[in-house]
Amino acid sequence: MQVEFLEVDTPSNVAVSAARTCYFPNGIVTPEASASWSRKDDLLQGIFKGGHHTTLMHTHVTMLISGMSRHLIWRLLHAHPYYNSEQVSQRYAKMKIENFVYPTAGERSDWETYYQSCFDDYEQLIEVLLPDVEAVVPKFRRKDSRKKAQEMARYVLPGGMSAYLYHTVNIITLLRYIAVAKAMPECRSEAEEFADIVAAKLVEMDASLAPLVEHARAATPVFPAFDMAAHKAKIGVTDEAVKVYDVVGDAAFDVNENYADVLRFSQMLPDSGVLGGFSTYTRLSLSADAQNQRHRRSPAVRPALASIYARKHYTPPIIAKNPDALAIYERAIARSYDFFEAQRDLIGFGEAAYALSNAHEIELVERDEFTSFHHKAQMRLCYNAQEEIFDIVYAQVKQLRAMAVPGAEELLPPCATRFAMKIRPTCPEGDHFCGIKVWKLEFEDYKREI
């Protein structure tokens, strides 16, 4: 794993100066003024131990990370709202066989054989699916057919596939990474490797942070336990993949420029939508949740996978319709579970989790307030959204409509919202227009081919 910090101002100088400014009568205290101040380190530790952490949130670090597993990115880097990331997409970028992470306790040769078989299935599926994809995409999007085939084939790739990304967080979040790495239920060794790198780079960047880093290292966080079976029984989940419940308030706010403009002014100008919301139980693939969790205003409980493990997986409809593709897919998924379970018995669930495929289904419970969910609905009801998460959000909106929640009829894709407000162009996707005038369709008639 490689982690590079882009250059930033000395965080301790900024934090201490921000704290001093709160009580200084003669204007802003600059970072330069605190650099050589004799009481800098004492004040820094005082505000840290006192929990006055906003001063440490002014400095953000942008990291260039490569070689981290997608499972750890999902479990640690993207499981909270305090970050920004841009990572290589498995939907649009062709994956490479050399980009895998190996568990420290596993027999490397066994994992190499497994990863190679996964990659072979991935490449074979792309070729088998390509004619089917070309048959359903609009003519002007045919050049993207291979990428669409990659998008579907990626479900057989395991979580041990690595990624590279830009990742930006503040100093407090970096300290929390160091602390919680040891509590990760999966990929803990890799998480601790990341924590060690971050700790060393923080101290190298700013020696005054050393006591804060040591506090994080000594901390003993606990990964939350969550009884999913009991929760499902409580809310009445049987076999459904999506269940909306605990609806409070409504979505009957004015859907105006605040919701239609690409800057989403609704996030800066709160309306009554923030007062209401709903919870959702969802069963979805690891791949879909990697997309879902990017909606940071949809906080979710994601239990340790060992507590909810079952041999259940998602199958994309276009694969289910093609007997040759389905045979490859089912063989690949069965192999992934067989290998995972064998490795689980050898090295434990947490380290064996790298073998679980993108298609592996997990269960989570999330909470949405209506203002932010309006944005999520726009993004995920777009026909360019990942098909599985489109189906999930469609099910959420459909259930809200069935419950007669006021305003639920305004939860629409961006083109429909813009069309209603006479904003041009109707589709904001430019050259990526899906080819279907969705804004002219009734909600009940939304149908994805891929």
Side-chain angles (χ1 to χ4, degrees):
M1 184 192 305
Q2 294 181 335
V3 180
E4 178 186 347
F5 280 19
L6 297 186
E7 187 174 351
V8 298
D9 292 332
T10 304
S12 60
N13 291 346
V14 175
V16 168
S17 297
R20 293 174 69 192
T21 296
C22 293
Y23 304 101
F24 193 63
N26 298 322
I28 290 175
V29 179
T30 65
E32 293 76 17
S34 294
S36 57
W37 187 48
S38 60
R39 294 179 54 201
K40 186 188 89 167
D41 287 351
D42 289 339
L43 180 57
L44 177 67
Q45 293 187 51
I47 59 180
F48 177 73
K49 292 177 180 178
H52 305 296
H53 293 164
T54 55
T55 58
L56 286 157
M57 295 178 181
H58 291 291
T59 300
H60 282 69
V61 174
T62 295
M63 295 178 282
L64 311 183
I65 303 173
S66 58
M68 179 178 285
S69 72
R70 289 180 177 268
H71 194 95
L72 184 59
I73 293 170
W74 169 79
R75 175 55 84 188
L76 178 61
L77 267 58
H78 292 170
H80 62 92
Y82 311 110
Y83 75 91
N84 190 44
S85 279
E86 309 298 334
Q87 78 180 65
V88 60
S89 170
Q90 284 189 327
R91 296 179 70 194
Y92 302 121
K94 177 72 161 57
M95 296 296 100
K96 298 179 180 179
I97 183 60
E98 60 266 26
N99 296 338
F100 285 102
V101 173
Y102 292 82
T104 54
E107 181 63 46
R108 188 179 177 96
S109 61
D110 293 340
W111 281 83
E112 286 177 342
T113 300
Y114 171 67
Y115 282 154
Q116 183 64 61
S117 65
C118 294
F119 197 78
D120 290 345
D121 290 332
Y122 166 70
E123 293 197 309
Q124 189 177 2
L125 269 174
I126 292 172
E127 299 306 320
V128 172
L129 289 172
L130 191 55
D132 291 358
V133 173
E134 290 175 338
V136 296
V137 298
K139 289 183 179 179
F140 69 93
R141 294 287 302 274
R142 291 267 171 85
K143 65 182 187 304
D144 298 327
S145 294
R146 183 166 291 274
K147 291 180 179 179
K148 275 292 185 182
Q150 289 170 188
E151 178 181 344
M152 300 303 160
R154 83 191 192 287
Y155 276 100
V156 301
L157 293 174
M161 177 138 255
S162 67
Y164 49 88
L165 66 154
Y166 273 72
H167 188 68
T168 301
V169 293
N170 62 44
I171 299 301
I172 284 294
T173 300
L174 286 172
L175 292 170
R176 288 171 177 165
Y177 281 161
I178 295 168
V180 304
K182 62 180 77 72
M184 291 294 99
E186 304 101 32
C187 309
R188 185 175 300 172
S189 295
E190 186 187 5
E192 291 178 341
E193 177 190 358
F194 174 66
D196 288 344
I197 294 172
V198 168
K201 286 189 172 293
L202 274 175
V203 175
E204 179 185 351
M205 177 176 65
D206 186 348
S208 293
L209 296 177
L212 283 60
V213 169
E214 288 310 308
H215 176 95
R217 283 186 178 279
T220 55
V222 178
F223 192 86
F226 186 80
D227 190 336
M228 183 63 78
H231 189 76
K232 287 163 65 177
K234 179 181 177 181
I235 63 175
V237 171
T238 52
D239 295 327
E240 61 265 53
V242 179
K243 183 178 179 65
V244 171
Y245 64 101
D246 281 355
V247 179
V248 176
D250 58 50
F253 41 80
D254 186 15
V255 179
N256 50 28
E257 288 82 354
N258 292 353
Y259 289 89
D261 193 276
V262 293
L263 280 176
R264 301 292 188 269
F265 308 129
S266 57
Q267 299 299 302
M268 297 289 288
L269 302 169
D271 56 28
S272 63
V274 302
L275 304 178
F278 60 96
S279 297
T280 309
Y281 161 83
T282 310
R283 186 179 74 247
L284 74 173
S285 73
L286 282 165
S287 181
D289 194 42
Q291 293 278 319
N292 180 54
Q293 67 180 178
R294 300 305 300 276
H295 292 276
R296 283 154 282 187
R297 297 292 292 273
S298 295
V301 176
R302 295 177 169 87
L305 295 193
S307 70
I308 55 172
Y309 175 73
R311 289 179 68 131
K312 292 184 177 180
H313 67 278
Y314 172 79
T315 302
I318 197 168
I319 290 178
K321 295 174 184 176
N322 183 320
D324 292 336
L326 184 60
I328 298 169
Y329 191 79
E330 294 291 352
R331 182 190 68 221
I333 299 301
R335 185 197 303 115
S336 73
Y337 283 126
D338 291 345
F339 183 77
F340 161 74
E341 290 174 357
Q343 291 297 311
R344 177 192 60 188
D345 295 341
L346 292 172
I347 62 177
F349 192 107
E351 291 300 290
Y354 291 112
L356 290 172
S357 71
N358 284 335
H360 176 64
E361 287 188 335
I362 62 169
E363 298 173 292
L364 57 83
V365 177
E366 72 177 29
R367 184 73 188 174
D368 289 277
E369 43 93 355
F370 283 117
T371 293
S372 294
F373 185 73
H374 195 286
H375 167 66
K376 182 175 182 177
Q378 284 199 45
M379 294 297 96
R380 300 308 178 179
L381 290 178
C382 172
Y383 273 36
N384 282 337
Q386 180 182 340
E387 184 177 21
E388 185 183 358
I389 196 170
F390 171 95
D391 291 339
I392 291 167
V393 173
Y394 185 88
Q396 289 176 296
V397 175
K398 184 177 180 180
Q399 290 180 40
L400 290 170
R401 286 179 170 222
M403 294 175 182
V405 174
E409 70 279 359
E410 298 289 346
L411 298 169
L412 298 166
C415 59
T417 299
R418 293 164 67 89
F419 179 74
M421 297 182 63
K422 298 180 171 58
I423 295 175
R424 300 294 183 267
T426 302
C427 172
E429 292 287 314
D431 292 341
H432 296 289
F433 171 49
C434 69
I436 300 172
K437 295 181 179 180
V438 181
W439 59 89
K440 293 188 175 183
L441 300 177
E442 295 297 326
F443 180 81
E444 295 75 13
D445 295 328
Y446 288 5
K447 182 181 179 182
R448 291 276 297 270
E449 292 290 341
I450 187 171

